[in-house]
Amino acid sequence: MTERRLRILIAKPGLDGHDRGAKVIARALRDAGMEVIYTGLRQTPEQIVAAAVQEDVDAIGVSILSGAHMTLFPRILELMREQGIGDIPLFGGGIIPDEDIPKLKAAGVDEIFTPGATMDAIIAYIQKRVGNTSEVAAS
């Protein structure tokens, strides 16, 4: 058996054009040995979920600064369930008011990281939540 690197999709949904934080997180995850698929700016929930299915990811991370988190996260979760990947952890970050975090978690978002969260905390969460995956090496 050979270890397979964790595959993490990082996405920027909606009209928010600020992606520096998403790129910093993507780099930190790569530096931690994960394979990162970054979807780029202004992705629809449909595009995000389609990419997650196509790339066979272990987790989806979404960065939202636009204030549309109460619409975008539930739509992504709905599409994930429809596409049969509802068991993949969806985590997020950005400007999300404290009072909305319990509502998002109740809806199915696995974890929310607000400004000030460390890269080490995000990496540790992913490693703990998703763990290392392995697959049989081709003979």
Side-chain angles (χ1 to χ4, degrees):
M1 294 218 293
T2 60
E3 287 290 319
R4 179 174 77 78
R5 294 191 312 165
L6 294 176
R7 294 174 56 86
I8 311 299
L9 183 89
I10 300 294
K12 281 293 300 180
L15 299 177
D16 174 14
H18 301 282
D19 66 347
R20 182 173 180 203
K23 287 179 177 178
V24 168
I25 290 169
R27 171 61 75 190
L29 298 180
R30 281 188 191 114
D31 289 350
M34 298 177 205
E35 186 174 345
V36 178
I37 298 94
Y38 174 58
T39 63
L41 289 169
R42 298 181 182 90
Q43 298 293 296
T44 66
E46 290 79 7
Q47 290 170 316
I48 293 166
V49 173
V53 170
Q54 181 178 8
E55 296 290 344
D56 191 26
V57 299
D58 298 302
I60 302 170
V62 178
S63 171
I64 302 176
L65 302 173
S66 66
H69 54 276
M70 295 304 290
T71 302
L72 292 168
F73 276 117
R75 180 65 179 144
I76 292 168
L77 287 163
E78 175 185 14
L79 292 166
M80 288 173 66
R81 287 184 205 105
E82 287 176 7
Q83 292 298 313
I85 61 168
D87 58 331
I88 295 173
L90 174 65
F91 66 97
I95 306 300
I96 300 177
D98 290 341
E99 61 268 16
D100 290 344
I101 294 173
K103 296 172 195 168
L104 291 169
K105 286 186 174 184
V109 177
D110 199 64
E111 189 60 79
I112 297 290
F113 296 95
T114 55
T118 66
M119 294 302 117
D120 287 343
I122 296 168
I123 292 165
Y125 153 76
I126 293 170
Q127 289 173 335
K128 180 179 179 185
R129 179 62 177 88
V130 182
N132 289 326
T133 58
S134 59
E135 55 187 28
V136 177
S139 351

